[in-house]
Amino acid sequence: MIEIVRQMIVSVTAAAIFSTVMLLIVQKSALHEVIRLATGMLMILALLLPLSRLTLPSFSRAFAAESAQAERQTEEAKQKNEQIAYSSIGGAVSQYIEKQAGELGIECTVRTEMEQGTDGTWVIGRVRIRGKGLTGVQRQQLAALVEKECGVPPARQDLVED
């Protein structure tokens, strides 16, 4: 790349010197305008000719690298968004179950594990309930509550005593 810039500077300088000499030789006349036009084109060629030696593979490699990096960043952002959605949905469901259990007089903490369903939506995979001194009736009430409100069958519920 530096070689191309050097070639451009040398060729533009040479074209400028040649143009100046030619314009000094041909004083004001009809030929002077033709020489001015020709030397202007020569200057454009002096600028563009070194650029024509650039190879596209270097550009395509740089573009491919930038494109791959953009894809990685997009995928990372997508995963972060999914994690945020996962924790937000799970947290809201946990709070709801704890509130409903509190209305039944049951004090407990709830943790939900979310899974992605076959259609790409988030569904509750497992519910873990921790409570102190839960009676058999309270356990049944919690299991029924989770099944009714969240659609999680007892097989995917864990009721743990503290």
Side-chain angles (χ1 to χ4, degrees):
M1 186 68 170
I2 293 174
E3 180 64 27
I4 291 173
V5 172
R6 188 188 70 75
Q7 285 178 349
M8 193 180 296
I9 291 170
V10 168
S11 62
V12 168
T13 303
I17 291 171
F18 177 76
S19 299
T20 304
V21 169
M22 288 303 292
L23 288 172
L24 287 175
I25 291 173
V26 179
Q27 294 296 326
K28 297 287 183 191
S29 68
L31 188 59
H32 188 314
E33 293 302 316
V34 173
I35 297 293
R36 262 184 68 194
L37 178 65
T39 56
M41 289 181 170
L42 182 66
M43 293 292 278
I44 291 171
L45 279 173
L47 280 170
L48 296 179
L49 196 59
L51 291 177
S52 70
R53 293 186 185 111
L54 282 177
T55 57
L56 287 179
S58 61
F59 288 123
S60 63
R61 277 189 301 248
F63 179 75
E66 289 297 322
S67 179
Q69 182 180 2
E71 285 180 29
R72 280 192 303 274
Q73 289 174 343
T74 301
E75 187 59 35
E76 288 173 6
K78 184 179 176 182
Q79 289 175 353
K80 284 182 183 179
N81 284 342
E82 287 178 0
Q83 289 173 347
I84 291 169
Y86 169 83
S87 63
S88 296
I89 295 168
V93 170
S94 295
Q95 288 177 349
Y96 178 75
I97 294 171
E98 287 174 6
K99 180 183 173 197
Q100 293 297 317
E103 289 177 5
L104 294 173
I106 304 169
E107 196 172 316
C108 62
T109 58
V110 179
R111 195 179 101 216
T112 55
E113 293 177 7
M114 304 298 290
E115 297 175 351
Q116 213 165 15
T118 55
D119 60 352
T121 59
W122 288 98
V123 295
I124 301 170
R126 191 157 209 73
V127 177
R128 299 186 190 282
I129 302 171
R130 290 179 106 49
K132 202 173 218 180
L134 296 175
T135 65
V137 172
Q138 288 176 325
R139 287 173 170 264
Q140 287 176 350
Q141 285 177 324
L142 280 172
L145 171 74
V146 171
E147 186 172 16
K148 178 184 171 209
E149 297 291 328
C150 302
V152 179
R156 292 192 338 233
Q157 299 178 21
D158 297 327
L159 287 108
V160 181
E161 290 268 343
D162 278 339

